[in-house]
Amino acid sequence: MRTQTRLLSVLTSLLALVALASSADQAVEPPLQPLASGSDAASTSAQAAPANGQEPLQELSSDLVYATLVAEVALQRGDYDAAVEHFLAAAKLAREPRLAERAVRSALNIKRPEAAREALALWTELEPDAPKAHQLSAFLALEAGDRATALESLKRVIELGGVPGQGYLQAAQVLGRLPDPNDRLALMRELVAALNADTDPDAQFALATLAAAAGDHEVAVQLAERASVLRPGWTDPQVFLVRLLVRAEQPEQAHAALDRYISQAPDDAELKLMKAQLHMDAEESEQALAVFNELLVQTPDRPDVLFAAAVLALDIRDMEAARGYLERLKGLGERPDEVAFLLGQVEEQAGNHQDALALYEEVQGQNRTNAQVRIARLHAKNGDVRRARELLQQLRDQYAGQTSAFYLIEAEMLRDQGLEQQALEVYDLALGNDPDNADLLYARAMLAVGMGKVALLERDLRRILVADPDHVDALNALGYTLADRTDRFDAAKSLIERALQLRPDDPAILDSMGWVLYRKGQPEAAEVFLRRALEQGFDAEIAAHLGEVLWTLGRQDEARAVWRNALDEAPEHEYLLRVLSRFRFSQSDN
């Protein structure tokens, strides 16, 4: 197959030359181009007649055929030295810029700058207005430290940019090859000054991108703002500036700038999408959804906005809103598999299990496996555990590489149904096939402690720690369990201290340290860690621990206040309720 590909590539180049030769003598339509496979030969065949300003192709000679043939074969074999010489010879004979280009690129591949410059001189002679040629000329000049030549080549890159502004961005990309970001910026400033482009918005924006890369935040912001002022309504520098402010952790300034831009262009969808993104980054879901709704007033059938709004509504559990967005997407015929999958989740959350099952069955593509897992879980919730387990076994048979993951899902599903012994048997079976799987060992340990099997938990977690002594979750879980279920407090504290070294601000580990100190009879020290843990974010179990410590310290009123707040946040939390029952506390207590 590789031999056939090489021959086809060579024949393509030769046939292209035949076409060029005949077009130089006859004003007739060129023949159909032969198909190329895996080669740059297609670029040679792309031009069937001499470009404007090019010399007509010389007569197809045996020397030209030979040079082209040898160059192609050399290139296919990776012999770039031979490819350079013969592509260059063919380009001189044929007066064909595409062959000169291939000589340049072959020379660059083997870092032969002198050969590249020779081929490049021929290329620019044959095709003076080729932007790529001038980009490579600038690159070679920069590599050689020849700033003057580089600047002249970059001027031509800008002049030949084609699409307005494209030339400056291409110049910035070439300069991006310089190792020093400050040097890139300095050269672009010279270029802008040489072109008297101080009032050119494209030039200012290119400078802004290089200033940002050089770490000069204030200058980058000023330049992006200037580009925006010079070309009102141009969103590229506006979006760039907002992102700069976000990256610099200046969210208030970012929002202010974005609001200003939106006030100037209230119908600009790109700016509003960025505003929604800023709200999502700040976990302001309701505000983000409001922006999406504004966009949908402007363009009611925009699929990307409908989909983003649906996902966000699902995330904040606004099921009716999510259903509305998804039904509209379904009506448009957009993203049918994703829509079915998300609608299935909406119906599942609403308790409409039969509707959810039907929707999940529709799902194909990348979400199909997740949909099948959800189908299995729904069958288990509906009491058909046997059917659920059969589906998961089918998935294991179908996806042999994910066997352990499906065992984890099955055991979790059984545990959720209160079938702990069956879940334990699934873990035993899975670990029989994969005894050192850390995820399976950890999951079985968590099940074991709930079943009162502390020895099994310790055995599984220590097996994890033999393979990975810094497994933070295993260190913390074992330390906490030894503190909570045994009197081996020193061993527990040692494990938790190691976990805390590895993850010093983790609220679960801070809670464990507080709890082991409390169990060791040090409630004052325990309070410090428990309060730090609770400051990271509310957690009912941590609140239960803190209340117990405060009660032991004789500060019952403070304990009641902590417990009362915890009950408001999590009125059905099982562990919290057990602790409150032990202290005979109820919400009505003062």
Side-chain angles (χ1 to χ4, degrees), residues 412-584:
E412 181 188 355
M413 178 188 73
L414 292 168
R415 182 180 183 180
D416 289 343
Q417 299 306 311
L419 302 171
E420 293 180 332
Q421 185 57 42
Q422 291 184 42
L424 188 60
E425 291 168 2
V426 169
Y427 285 132
D428 292 344
L429 177 62
L431 284 162
N433 298 323
D434 192 3
D436 293 317
N437 186 298
D439 292 332
L440 288 169
L441 287 166
Y442 188 84
R444 185 169 71 175
M446 296 302 97
L447 175 65
V449 72
M451 299 173 70
K453 298 178 182 290
V454 175
L456 176 57
L457 169 136
E458 183 170 2
R459 187 175 74 226
D460 283 349
L461 294 181
R462 288 201 182 279
R463 182 158 190 158
I464 293 173
L465 293 170
V466 167
D468 181 5
D470 291 338
H471 194 293
V472 178
D473 293 327
L475 287 166
N476 184 54
L478 182 54
Y480 177 80
T481 303
L482 293 179
D484 191 55
R485 301 293 183 94
T486 76
D487 58 2
R488 295 159 58 192
F489 302 136
D490 290 338
K493 187 169 182 286
S494 177
L495 290 161
I496 296 166
E497 283 174 339
R498 177 60 184 149
L500 204 55
Q501 287 174 354
L502 295 167
R503 208 183 285 164
D505 296 319
D506 189 306
I509 303 172
L510 290 167
D511 173 58
S512 296
M513 181 58 76
W515 194 240
V516 72
L517 290 170
Y518 171 66
R519 294 277 284 158
K520 283 171 66 69
Q522 301 172 30
E524 294 88 352
E527 180 188 355
V528 174
F529 283 94
L530 292 170
R531 286 197 182 279
R532 278 183 60 196
L534 208 54
E535 285 169 2
Q536 304 290 329
F538 173 77
D539 182 279
E541 186 168 343
I542 297 173
H545 287 162
L546 178 59
E548 184 166 343
V549 167
L550 292 171
W551 191 281
T552 302
L553 288 169
R555 291 150 60 187
Q556 282 81 12
D557 288 345
E558 289 182 57
R560 290 189 186 97
V562 169
W563 286 337
R564 194 173 295 111
N565 181 64
L567 273 176
D568 289 340
E569 294 285 342
E572 298 180 4
H573 192 279
E574 184 178 345
Y575 182 86
L576 175 64
L577 293 175
R578 284 206 309 270
V579 170
L580 300 187
S581 175
R582 182 153 46 87
F583 284 87
R584 303 181 185 280

Side-chain angles (χ1 to χ4, degrees), residues 217-218 220-222 224-225 237-258 260-261 274 278:
H217 172 75
E218 289 186 10
V221 168
Q222 291 168 5
E225 186 70 72
Q238 295 173 349
V239 169
F240 180 78
L241 184 145
V242 172
R243 285 177 177 156
L244 279 177
L245 294 171
V246 171
R247 196 180 310 148
E249 298 183 355
Q250 298 176 303
E252 291 182 4
Q253 293 92 324
H255 275 288
L258 193 52
R260 176 160 47 86
Y261 295 143
M274 171 159 267
L278 289 185

Side-chain angles (χ1 to χ4, degrees), residues 71 122 211 338 348 380 485 506:
L122 178 60
E338 291 168 295
E348 183 179 349
R485 301 293 183 94
D506 189 306

Side-chain angles (χ1 to χ4, degrees), residues 269-291:
E270 186 178 4
L271 293 175
K272 287 191 175 179
L273 282 172
M274 171 159 267
K275 185 174 179 65
Q277 184 62 56
L278 289 185
H279 283 307
M280 287 190 289
D281 291 344
E283 298 183 357
E284 298 168 349
S285 300
E286 288 80 6
Q287 293 93 322
L289 199 56
V291 176

Side-chain angles (χ1 to χ4, degrees), residues 91-104:
K92 289 177 178 178
L93 289 167
R95 309 297 292 168
E96 164 51 35
R98 298 285 74 76
L99 290 171
E101 177 182 358
R102 298 184 77 185
V104 173

